[in-house]
Amino acid sequence: MDSRKLVGRNIRRIRREKGWPQEKLAFESDVHRTYISGVERGARNPTVLVLGRIADALGVSLAALFGGR
């Protein structure tokens, strides 16, 4: 599986588990909502810094976005 799609799928899963809409994740991570959408669809190639902000906002490790713990 493409790593972008894997990361996007994990972000979407974690976000939904928290009951957050994309707008809430965008606000908490200071990333535009349309960019979050692109990341979740695997259409964007986010930097490590952006992934770090998303992971921090979700309260998970960066590794968790890749399917780790």
Side-chain angles (χ1 to χ4, degrees), residues 2 6 9 13 15-16 18 24 26-28 31-33 36 40 54 58 61 63 68-69:
D2 183 326
L6 174 68
R9 182 182 299 173
R13 177 184 53 77
R15 175 181 61 77
R16 286 181 174 170
K18 293 179 84 56
K24 170 88 172 162
F27 176 78
E28 294 294 330
V31 176
H32 198 275
R33 192 209 52 84
I36 294 289
E40 288 187 355
I54 291 171
L58 291 170
S61 69
R69 292 181 184 227

Side-chain angles (χ1 to χ4, degrees), residues 23-41:
E23 290 82 5
K24 170 88 172 162
L25 177 55
F27 176 78
E28 294 294 330
S29 61
D30 195 30
V31 176
H32 198 275
R33 192 209 52 84
T34 58
Y35 194 85
I36 294 289
S37 175
V39 170
E40 288 187 355
R41 288 182 287 114

Side-chain angles (χ1 to χ4, degrees), residues 1 6 14 17 20-22 24 26 29 38-41 45 49-50 60 63-64:
M1 174 181 290
L6 174 68
I14 296 165
E17 286 172 358
W20 286 7
Q22 286 180 342
K24 170 88 172 162
S29 61
V39 170
E40 288 187 355
R41 288 182 287 114
N45 192 20
L49 295 175
V50 169
V60 299

